[in-house]
Amino acid sequence: MLIEDRLDDLRDGLDGRHAARWRRLREQCDWYRTQTPPTEHPSASITYFGPAAANLALAYRLTGDPGYRAGAARWISAAIGFPHWGKAHLPDHDLDAGWLLHGLSLAYTWLGDDFVLADELRAKLELQGARLYEFAVESEGSWWSSSYWQNHNWICYTGLAGAGYALGKSKWTERAKANFATVIDLLPADGSDMEGVVYWRYGVPWLATYLDLLQDQEGLDWWDRCKFLANTFSYRLQQCAPGFEENIDHGDCHDRRSGHSVALYYKLAAAYRIGEAQWLGDLVADRFFWREAYASGVKPGVMPEAYLELLWYDESVRPVSPSERSPLSAYFPDLGLVTARTGWDDEATMVSFKASPGGGHQAWETSHRLDTERGWDTLSAGHHHPDAGSFVLTSRGSFLAVDEGYSNRKRAGDHNLILVDGQGFADEDRYHVYKGVPYERQARMVDVLASDGVAHGTAEIAAMYPAELEITRLDRTLVFTPAGRVVLLDRCAARSPRDWTLLLHADWPLTLGEDIVMRSGSAQAWVRLHTPLTVETAVTEVEANPTSSTPSLRLTRTMHTLRATAERRTTAAMLTTIEPTSALRPEPPSARRLDLVRGFGIAFDGETVLLADDDGVIEGEGFLEKAKVVIHSATRRVSL
């Protein structure tokens, strides 16, 4: 599988065009040599056994070195000896089984029939494959078997397909093919992923792995058919924080350094001729790889992907820096995600703003239709947070307005959002916050402008709050200017007086005074509230267990929170500005509210932002405009 018609080319290039990838592979195999596989199933995940076998087996197939074959035998023997694959969560029926089926099936084909454990390995693959297949059939409609938009589906079915191809089990491969035929047609064409960057990095390589297997084994080319994969690198690139090493952490993100997959970047570059993907893969491999390997909270992590980096690299793709042609602003409509940055340099300022139904529009619409028609439960959006209307802001290599990262009990109040009488979204404070909620409970992003480092969007989120609050309007408009300033306008209404509390979360304590100051590293931001509000600070604690395979594991996060409240009002219009600057040499804030006849206006030094009233009118002394927004700067005028 995957290498038969490429062996001569791969071998010939090990000391030439493939030298860097070969070095990675042999270093990874050296690491396996120094490890002792456990003889009893550990309490934690054993997913790493799969790629361990694949890496060592590929090194043997390329070189004929019996040491690599012996190394593979150590790891395979241990895996064969485990009565079940997986311990704490769904033994034999979930991620551990999927990972091991795939990796050990590749090893089975690459090591050959004369491998000392060939018969035992085949028998184990047949047993574990049958267990996973039977679970997929029996659980159809209730768990990963039909959860088309998330990583458990992709991993388990790819593992089943790999074993099916290795063993000639057409029943397994046909079921996997039918699943992925559905998956690739239902995934959003804009490439956005509701699970967030970290689970994008964990799950999406398996979509590419399956399409690679399908093309190799059946000659079916589904790469062009899969619009999601064709466009998903753009989503990932636009979720890179300036400097590229860290990621914007919407959704469940163990940390901000677990977002890269060199192997996947190379595969997307090869499949779709994306020079920027080749460039980012090279950048991560050269500069960020070891930081990611040791700081990442995602296991097995980047190190075991060595064999895929070698197999998926195509030297004919010319690397292209994003600064050459990638847009400074982007909009991904399925996830309602708007991003903008002042540049592609490391010191740039960037915002990422989002609002959509649970799982994104495509998953929300399709899952409700399928579940109604078939009595299924397909959405499985447990990694999607109650964060519609929230945003993340970074500048000068530091995070200013931050997201909570990973949580088991998800709450809107852990995001940069609005609380109403101290309450967040309906049915929150649980892991699957979108499970079982009515179809009508949807947020959406409207009036989007994303052009050349400028952004405007309005998140309509009133439907997300408990009905008893009787909210008739909660619209958040965010503007990002060419200089990297942020203007927020929150328009709120309810049938009876409410407290409307604006939240801003930061990594470090905020300073209250004439101006509110957020600081982080070399960056700071001046926050000005242009509406009379009651202001206080608080500490927000978030705790999570990111993996069911290790119940004792805990991640904790402390955020420092600004709480600004408009008290006991039926309507409120809260106008806020955030001006990033250097913490080392700060420039003074300049935001001031303009006195308009109709609409809302903010003037900065060198920039002006004008927002319309409900009739779409902006009126001031000497001017009248019909526009949602007008943004003036020294060199540009942008309107919508």
Side-chain angles (χ1 to χ4, degrees):
M1 288 192 294
L2 302 179
I3 62 171
E4 289 304 325
D5 60 350
R6 300 181 58 205
L7 272 174
D8 290 341
D9 174 74
L10 290 170
R11 287 168 176 155
D12 289 345
L14 293 183
D15 57 355
R17 61 188 178 279
H18 297 310
R21 267 62 60 187
W22 165 235
R23 182 175 65 251
R24 265 276 293 126
L25 178 60
R26 69 174 189 260
E27 287 176 350
Q28 184 63 19
C29 290
D30 282 343
W31 185 85
Y32 291 132
R33 178 182 54 80
T34 66
Q35 307 302 304
T36 301
T39 56
E40 294 186 9
H41 198 305
S43 298
S45 169
I46 59 168
T47 53
Y48 59 96
F49 275 75
N55 277 298
L56 289 159
L58 181 59
Y60 167 71
R61 191 62 181 270
L62 291 174
T63 65
D65 186 337
Y68 291 131
R69 183 168 55 180
R74 286 198 309 134
W75 288 85
I76 292 170
S77 176
I80 291 173
F82 300 147
H84 301 280
W85 284 351
K87 188 170 186 179
H89 181 70
L90 291 176
D92 303 323
H93 298 152
D94 205 0
L95 297 177
D96 291 287
W99 277 82
L100 267 69
L101 277 174
H102 174 256
L104 270 65
S105 293
L106 293 179
Y108 174 75
T109 63
W110 293 344
L111 292 169
D113 292 337
D114 61 342
F115 177 52
V116 65
L117 295 173
D119 291 341
E120 293 176 69
L121 177 55
R122 181 182 181 91
K124 183 62 170 175
L125 291 172
E126 288 179 343
L127 173 63
Q128 296 295 156
R131 288 171 171 173
L132 194 65
Y133 173 82
E134 290 163 6
F135 180 81
V137 173
E138 293 167 1
S139 64
E140 185 175 48
S142 62
W143 177 211
W144 59 257
S145 182
S146 309
S147 297
Y148 303 117
W149 299 276
Q150 65 112 264
N151 66 85
H152 289 252
N153 175 283
W154 311 337
I155 294 170
C156 291
Y157 270 119
T158 299
L160 188 65
Y165 288 130
L167 303 179
K169 303 287 187 179
S170 60
K171 185 167 63 172
W172 301 355
T173 59
E174 287 301 307
R175 184 172 182 88
K177 184 163 63 174
N179 173 76
F180 281 108
T182 301
V183 166
I184 65 175
D185 290 342
L186 293 185
L187 288 174
D190 65 8
S192 61
D193 185 359
M194 61 94 169
E195 293 196 311
V197 167
V198 168
Y199 278 95
W200 179 95
R201 177 265 171 279
Y202 182 72
V204 173
W206 292 90
L207 293 173
T209 298
Y210 177 76
L211 264 60
D212 204 24
L213 281 170
L214 181 69
Q215 187 171 20
D216 178 76
Q217 291 294 295
E218 300 192 32
L220 293 176
D221 184 346
W222 282 7
W223 293 98
D224 288 339
R225 177 178 170 181
C226 189
K227 303 305 180 188
F228 171 84
L229 276 182
N231 294 309
T232 199
F233 179 76
S234 176
Y235 159 78
R236 178 61 188 90
L237 180 65
Q238 295 292 345
Q239 291 292 277
C240 283
F244 299 99
E245 186 171 7
E246 295 181 286
N247 52 268
I248 302 300
D249 51 353
H250 298 303
D252 274 342
C253 289
H254 305 65
D255 54 78
R256 297 173 187 148
R257 298 184 185 276
S258 295
H260 291 303
S261 168
V262 174
L264 181 58
Y265 294 152
Y266 286 157
K267 187 60 185 180
L268 295 175
Y272 300 109
R273 316 307 294 176
I274 305 173
E276 291 83 355
Q278 192 87 332
W279 179 90
L280 187 56
D282 289 345
L283 178 70
V284 175
D286 292 343
R287 289 181 52 192
F288 305 148
F289 182 86
W290 293 108
R291 180 74 173 267
E292 169 114 0
Y294 291 110
S296 172
V298 179
K299 306 302 180 187
V302 295
M303 290 178 62
E305 292 181 351
Y307 75 102
L308 289 173
E309 293 170 26
L310 177 59
L311 294 180
W312 282 353
Y313 181 75
D314 182 348
E315 71 273 13
S316 71
V317 181
R318 182 180 73 86
V320 177
S321 169
S323 62
E324 293 186 36
R325 62 188 184 191
S326 297
L328 297 177
S329 303
Y331 175 47
F332 301 90
D334 189 80
L335 203 55
L337 177 66
V338 185
T339 70
R341 65 185 72 218
T342 57
W344 286 105
D345 58 288
D346 293 359
E347 300 298 299
T349 299
M350 177 194 175
V351 74
S352 185
F353 177 45
K354 67 190 291 280
S356 73
H361 289 277
Q362 175 96 350
W364 188 260
E365 295 287 336
T366 307
S367 65
H368 277 80
R369 175 178 58 81
L370 289 174
D371 295 355
T372 299
E373 292 174 355
R374 305 179 187 181
W376 286 5
D377 180 11
T378 58
L379 182 59
S380 192
H383 295 306
H384 190 166
H385 288 203
D387 60 357
S390 184
F391 68 97
V392 173
L393 179 67
T394 75
S395 185
R396 292 167 173 80
S398 299
F399 281 70
L400 292 168
V402 306
D403 197 276
E404 51 120 313
Y406 204 116
S407 61
N408 290 119
R409 304 192 69 84
K410 296 177 170 61
R411 295 175 287 264
D414 295 336
H415 303 275
N416 299 309
L417 274 170
I418 303 291
L419 297 183
V420 185
D421 282 355
Q423 299 185 56
F425 290 179
D427 296 313
E428 61 170 29
D429 199 27
R430 55 182 178 147
Y431 186 69
H432 296 280
V433 294
Y434 298 103
K435 184 179 179 65
V437 304
Y439 171 80
E440 295 76 17
R441 192 179 297 161
Q442 300 184 41
R444 62 174 184 157
M445 186 72 73
V446 299
D447 301 330
V448 174
L449 169 67
S451 173
D452 197 21
V454 174
H456 171 279
T458 296
E460 297 181 343
I461 59 175
M464 306 307 294
Y465 291 80
E468 59 267 23
L469 294 174
E470 300 181 304
I471 300 171
T472 58
R473 180 182 195 180
L474 215 171
D475 297 344
R476 162 165 284 181
T477 298
L478 182 146
V479 177
F480 185 83
T481 73
R485 291 142 166 169
V486 173
V487 177
L488 289 176
L489 176 60
D490 293 297
R491 285 180 270 198
C492 317
R495 292 191 176 90
S496 56
R498 302 291 177 194
D499 287 345
W500 310 90
T501 302
L502 178 149
L503 303 174
L504 281 178
H505 298 288
D507 285 335
W508 297 91
L510 299 98
T511 302
L512 301 185
E514 183 177 349
D515 289 294
I516 300 163
V517 183
M518 307 172 74
R519 291 188 179 90
S520 181
S522 295
Q524 78 171 49
W526 305 104
V527 180
R528 282 188 167 174
L529 306 172
H530 301 274
T531 311
L533 303 173
T534 301
V535 178
E536 62 180 353
T537 60
V539 174
T540 302
E541 300 279 356
V542 179
E543 184 178 277
N545 174 299
T547 172
S548 55
S549 68
T550 311
S552 61
L553 180 62
R554 288 289 182 273
L555 299 179
T556 58
R557 177 89 181 272
T558 299
M559 299 185 293
H560 299 272
T561 305
L562 172 70
R563 300 170 58 92
T565 303
E567 298 176 337
R568 311 318 300 165
R569 302 182 191 178
T570 55
T571 63
M574 297 182 288
L575 189 61
T576 307
T577 55
I578 307 175
E579 297 179 75
T581 186
S582 168
L584 307 177
R585 296 177 180 84
E587 296 180 1
S590 63
R592 60 183 178 86
R593 184 167 183 173
L594 299 176
D595 185 14
L596 300 183
V597 177
R598 301 179 66 178
F600 305 84
I602 293 289
F604 303 99
D605 286 348
E607 292 184 324
T608 302
V609 175
L610 304 174
L611 294 165
D613 64 8
D614 289 341
D615 296 321
V617 174
I618 305 169
E619 183 178 359
E621 186 175 347
F623 69 90
L624 176 69
E625 296 226 27
K626 290 281 290 184
K628 297 287 186 182
V629 61
V630 177
I631 304 168
H632 291 277
S633 69
T635 58
R636 301 173 60 191
R637 182 185 189 278
V638 181
S639 63
L640 173 67

